[in-house]
Amino acid sequence: MTSEFVLILIAGAFSGGFINGMAGFGTSLFALGWWLQIMPPAQAVAMALVMSVASGLQGVVLVRHAIEWRRLGVFLLPAIVGIPIGLQILDKVDATLLKMVIAGFMLLYGGFFIWRRDLPNLTKPTPVLDGAIGFVSGILGAVAGLSGALPTMWLSMRDWAKEKSRAVLQPFNVVVLGLAAAMLAIDGVYDRQTLITMAIALPATMIAAQIGIRAFKVFTDAQFRRLLIIMMFLSGVLIVAKEVL
């Protein structure tokens, strides 16, 4: 393990942890750009899942008092049902094409609302749509690792306090990605080398997440919604860049 390897490893861990601490998602998208330079895709993804959960748990603690279990359950329970379905169709779906389609939605959504002065404002309860988004997100998480894309877009359209939005988004991602990591562990992906690499990356991820959480506390509710929209656009750009380059 060279010094260059360690520097790139820590850079990925720090950037992924900071984004997760600030926005409540995005560890994989921002860390994998670094880690895929120095390790095989399977190992990089396995690490990203664990780092997502580790940094996400800090965010869950931050908004634990704002969690409304019924509202979270409307998203999360269908997602849990969707995960094994996604695993079943994993070999039958072109994951690259699926990622590009989702990235296209991210770019259109983010690009449209970035330039609008007025933010979207859904006020009516939509439990059926919430459940459908959770279900599809569970499938997307298993097939393409994009469990947070649709919930983030959906929640940024609601005029909620930032803690209320994050109290759904953060636990949702932690549970879905935690289940995905557990399934990889059962398949034996976390070998000795991966565990050693994770041990080096984990402190940087945890510290960066705390810095990101401090940044989150500074945002107003409207600024946080803007942040989610901008993050959607940037995430779409990153997905396209990774698939094209």
Side-chain angles (χ1 to χ4, degrees):
M1 192 176 294
T2 65
S3 58
E4 181 182 4
F5 181 98
V6 173
L7 286 174
I8 294 174
L9 175 66
I10 292 176
F14 194 90
S15 59
F18 174 77
I19 290 298
N20 196 302
M22 182 173 63
F25 74 102
T27 300
S28 295
L29 287 169
F30 284 82
L32 287 176
W34 295 92
W35 292 344
L36 288 173
Q37 301 178 44
I38 57 173
M39 63 184 76
Q43 183 183 11
V45 170
M47 279 196 51
L49 289 174
V50 173
M51 297 302 119
S52 295
V53 174
S55 54
L57 284 173
Q58 297 181 81
V60 172
V61 172
L62 174 69
V63 296
R64 63 189 184 280
H65 300 302
I67 295 175
E68 296 183 27
W69 295 105
R70 180 176 295 180
R71 178 181 291 116
L72 175 60
V74 170
F75 287 91
L76 188 55
L77 294 178
I80 293 173
V81 175
I83 291 172
I85 295 175
L87 293 174
Q88 289 294 320
I89 66 175
L90 182 59
D91 295 330
K92 303 174 184 178
V93 175
D94 187 336
T96 299
L97 177 61
L98 182 60
K99 287 181 180 181
M100 294 297 282
V101 171
I102 298 300
F105 278 112
M106 290 178 173
L107 291 172
L108 287 172
Y109 173 87
F112 179 72
F113 285 113
I114 282 173
W115 299 109
R116 281 188 53 149
R117 177 176 297 180
D118 297 326
L119 292 170
N121 186 14
L122 295 177
T123 57
K124 294 182 179 180
T126 54
V128 175
L129 284 175
D130 293 348
I133 286 171
F135 176 72
V136 175
S137 297
I139 295 175
L140 289 177
V143 175
L146 294 174
S147 60
L150 294 182
T152 301
M153 285 190 277
W154 187 238
L155 292 179
S156 66
M157 296 177 71
R158 294 193 173 276
D159 188 15
W160 288 356
K162 60 182 182 179
E163 290 82 5
K164 186 176 180 179
S165 295
R166 189 160 182 163
V168 174
L169 181 61
Q170 192 96 66
F172 178 88
N173 282 328
V174 166
V175 172
V176 173
L177 296 177
L179 288 173
M183 292 174 185
L184 287 178
I186 293 172
D187 289 339
V189 172
Y190 294 99
D191 56 18
R192 182 174 179 273
Q193 181 60 44
T194 303
L195 293 175
I196 292 173
T197 307
M198 283 168 46
I200 297 172
L202 185 60
T205 296
M206 301 296 277
I207 293 170
Q210 283 298 315
I211 297 173
I213 287 172
R214 289 180 179 272
F216 166 80
K217 293 178 179 179
V218 174
F219 292 123
T220 65
D221 294 338
Q223 287 171 338
F224 182 67
R225 293 176 70 205
R226 288 282 184 193
L227 171 67
L228 292 182
I229 291 169
I230 292 169
M231 286 292 298
M232 277 293 96
F233 184 81
L234 291 178
S235 297
V237 171
L238 286 173
I239 292 172
V240 172
K242 289 175 185 176
E243 298 299 334
V244 172
L245 298 180

PDB file of all heavy atoms in Angstrom, residues 77-90:
ATOM      1  N   LEU A  77     -40.508   0.781   4.177  1.00  0.00           N
ATOM      2  CA  LEU A  77     -41.022  -0.584   4.065  1.00  0.00           C
ATOM      3  C   LEU A  77     -41.154  -1.040   2.609  1.00  0.00           C
ATOM      4  O   LEU A  77     -40.725  -2.155   2.269  1.00  0.00           O
ATOM      5  CB  LEU A  77     -42.350  -0.706   4.807  1.00  0.00           C
ATOM      6  CG  LEU A  77     -42.259  -0.536   6.338  1.00  0.00           C
ATOM      7  CD1 LEU A  77     -43.645  -0.631   6.970  1.00  0.00           C
ATOM      8  CD2 LEU A  77     -41.314  -1.562   6.945  1.00  0.00           C
ATOM      9  N   PRO A  78     -41.720  -0.212   1.718  1.00  0.00           N
ATOM     10  CA  PRO A  78     -41.732  -0.626   0.311  1.00  0.00           C
ATOM     11  C   PRO A  78     -40.322  -0.778  -0.279  1.00  0.00           C
ATOM     12  O   PRO A  78     -40.101  -1.639  -1.147  1.00  0.00           O
ATOM     13  CB  PRO A  78     -42.499   0.512  -0.387  1.00  0.00           C
ATOM     14  CG  PRO A  78     -43.332   1.119   0.681  1.00  0.00           C
ATOM     15  CD  PRO A  78     -42.500   1.027   1.920  1.00  0.00           C
ATOM     16  N   ALA A  79     -39.378   0.048   0.183  1.00  0.00           N
ATOM     17  CA  ALA A  79     -38.007  -0.062  -0.314  1.00  0.00           C
ATOM     18  C   ALA A  79     -37.402  -1.414   0.057  1.00  0.00           C
ATOM     19  O   ALA A  79     -36.706  -2.045  -0.750  1.00  0.00           O
ATOM     20  CB  ALA A  79     -37.149   1.070   0.252  1.00  0.00           C
ATOM     21  N   ILE A  80     -37.663  -1.873   1.279  1.00  0.00           N
ATOM     22  CA  ILE A  80     -37.145  -3.169   1.723  1.00  0.00           C
ATOM     23  C   ILE A  80     -37.720  -4.293   0.866  1.00  0.00           C
ATOM     24  O   ILE A  80     -37.019  -5.262   0.538  1.00  0.00           O
ATOM     25  CB  ILE A  80     -37.468  -3.379   3.213  1.00  0.00           C
ATOM     26  CG1 ILE A  80     -36.674  -2.366   4.062  1.00  0.00           C
ATOM     27  CG2 ILE A  80     -37.141  -4.806   3.650  1.00  0.00           C
ATOM     28  CD1 ILE A  80     -37.039  -2.370   5.523  1.00  0.00           C
ATOM     29  N   VAL A  81     -38.978  -4.151   0.485  1.00  0.00           N
ATOM     30  CA  VAL A  81     -39.591  -5.132  -0.421  1.00  0.00           C
ATOM     31  C   VAL A  81     -38.939  -5.062  -1.799  1.00  0.00           C
ATOM     32  O   VAL A  81     -38.751  -6.090  -2.468  1.00  0.00           O
ATOM     33  CB  VAL A  81     -41.109  -4.878  -0.544  1.00  0.00           C
ATOM     34  CG1 VAL A  81     -41.733  -5.809  -1.588  1.00  0.00           C
ATOM     35  CG2 VAL A  81     -41.791  -5.072   0.807  1.00  0.00           C
ATOM     36  N   GLY A  82     -38.560  -3.855  -2.221  1.00  0.00           N
ATOM     37  CA  GLY A  82     -37.984  -3.683  -3.548  1.00  0.00           C
ATOM     38  C   GLY A  82     -36.565  -4.195  -3.690  1.00  0.00           C
ATOM     39  O   GLY A  82     -36.151  -4.562  -4.799  1.00  0.00           O
ATOM     40  N   ILE A  83     -35.807  -4.248  -2.600  1.00  0.00           N
ATOM     41  CA  ILE A  83     -34.402  -4.656  -2.677  1.00  0.00           C
ATOM     42  C   ILE A  83     -34.239  -6.065  -3.251  1.00  0.00           C
ATOM     43  O   ILE A  83     -33.478  -6.262  -4.211  1.00  0.00           O
ATOM     44  CB  ILE A  83     -33.719  -4.533  -1.301  1.00  0.00           C
ATOM     45  CG1 ILE A  83     -33.574  -3.054  -0.923  1.00  0.00           C
ATOM     46  CG2 ILE A  83     -32.330  -5.191  -1.328  1.00  0.00           C
ATOM     47  CD1 ILE A  83     -33.084  -2.839   0.506  1.00  0.00           C
ATOM     48  N   PRO A  84     -34.904  -7.096  -2.704  1.00  0.00           N
ATOM     49  CA  PRO A  84     -34.730  -8.437  -3.291  1.00  0.00           C
ATOM     50  C   PRO A  84     -35.234  -8.526  -4.729  1.00  0.00           C
ATOM     51  O   PRO A  84     -34.686  -9.301  -5.526  1.00  0.00           O
ATOM     52  CB  PRO A  84     -35.543  -9.340  -2.358  1.00  0.00           C
ATOM     53  CG  PRO A  84     -36.455  -8.444  -1.619  1.00  0.00           C
ATOM     54  CD  PRO A  84     -35.759  -7.134  -1.512  1.00  0.00           C
ATOM     55  N   ILE A  85     -36.243  -7.742  -5.076  1.00  0.00           N
ATOM     56  CA  ILE A  85     -36.710  -7.723  -6.467  1.00  0.00           C
ATOM     57  C   ILE A  85     -35.608  -7.166  -7.363  1.00  0.00           C
ATOM     58  O   ILE A  85     -35.334  -7.694  -8.453  1.00  0.00           O
ATOM     59  CB  ILE A  85     -37.997  -6.886  -6.595  1.00  0.00           C
ATOM     60  CG1 ILE A  85     -39.130  -7.550  -5.809  1.00  0.00           C
ATOM     61  CG2 ILE A  85     -38.384  -6.718  -8.061  1.00  0.00           C
ATOM     62  CD1 ILE A  85     -40.403  -6.744  -5.765  1.00  0.00           C
ATOM     63  N   GLY A  86     -34.961  -6.111  -6.892  1.00  0.00           N
ATOM     64  CA  GLY A  86     -33.845  -5.551  -7.648  1.00  0.00           C
ATOM     65  C   GLY A  86     -32.723  -6.550  -7.835  1.00  0.00           C
ATOM     66  O   GLY A  86     -32.116  -6.639  -8.907  1.00  0.00           O
ATOM     67  N   LEU A  87     -32.429  -7.315  -6.800  1.00  0.00           N
ATOM     68  CA  LEU A  87     -31.378  -8.332  -6.897  1.00  0.00           C
ATOM     69  C   LEU A  87     -31.752  -9.422  -7.896  1.00  0.00           C
ATOM     70  O   LEU A  87     -30.890  -9.962  -8.602  1.00  0.00           O
ATOM     71  CB  LEU A  87     -31.119  -8.947  -5.520  1.00  0.00           C
ATOM     72  CG  LEU A  87     -30.497  -8.013  -4.475  1.00  0.00           C
ATOM     73  CD1 LEU A  87     -30.420  -8.697  -3.122  1.00  0.00           C
ATOM     74  CD2 LEU A  87     -29.114  -7.552  -4.910  1.00  0.00           C
ATOM     75  N   GLN A  88     -33.039  -9.732  -7.964  1.00  0.00           N
ATOM     76  CA  GLN A  88     -33.500 -10.757  -8.897  1.00  0.00           C
ATOM     77  C   GLN A  88     -33.347 -10.318 -10.352  1.00  0.00           C
ATOM     78  O   GLN A  88     -33.058 -11.133 -11.229  1.00  0.00           O
ATOM     79  CB  GLN A  88     -34.962 -11.112  -8.615  1.00  0.00           C
ATOM     80  CG  GLN A  88     -35.179 -11.892  -7.334  1.00  0.00           C
ATOM     81  CD  GLN A  88     -34.557 -13.284  -7.393  1.00  0.00           C
ATOM     82  OE1 GLN A  88     -34.614 -13.958  -8.407  1.00  0.00           O
ATOM     83  NE2 GLN A  88     -33.966 -13.704  -6.276  1.00  0.00           N
ATOM     84  N   ILE A  89     -33.562  -9.037 -10.604  1.00  0.00           N
ATOM     85  CA  ILE A  89     -33.494  -8.550 -11.987  1.00  0.00           C
ATOM     86  C   ILE A  89     -32.139  -7.948 -12.326  1.00  0.00           C
ATOM     87  O   ILE A  89     -31.947  -7.441 -13.432  1.00  0.00           O
ATOM     88  CB  ILE A  89     -34.605  -7.507 -12.266  1.00  0.00           C
ATOM     89  CG1 ILE A  89     -34.376  -6.233 -11.441  1.00  0.00           C
ATOM     90  CG2 ILE A  89     -35.976  -8.084 -11.983  1.00  0.00           C
ATOM     91  CD1 ILE A  89     -35.364  -5.118 -11.763  1.00  0.00           C
ATOM     92  N   LEU A  90     -31.202  -8.050 -11.392  1.00  0.00           N
ATOM     93  CA  LEU A  90     -29.894  -7.413 -11.567  1.00  0.00           C
ATOM     94  C   LEU A  90     -29.214  -7.876 -12.847  1.00  0.00           C
ATOM     95  O   LEU A  90     -28.628  -7.082 -13.582  1.00  0.00           O
ATOM     96  CB  LEU A  90     -29.003  -7.711 -10.357  1.00  0.00           C
ATOM     97  CG  LEU A  90     -27.608  -7.075 -10.347  1.00  0.00           C
ATOM     98  CD1 LEU A  90     -27.724  -5.558 -10.410  1.00  0.00           C
ATOM     99  CD2 LEU A  90     -26.854  -7.495  -9.087  1.00  0.00           C
TER     100      LEU A  90
END
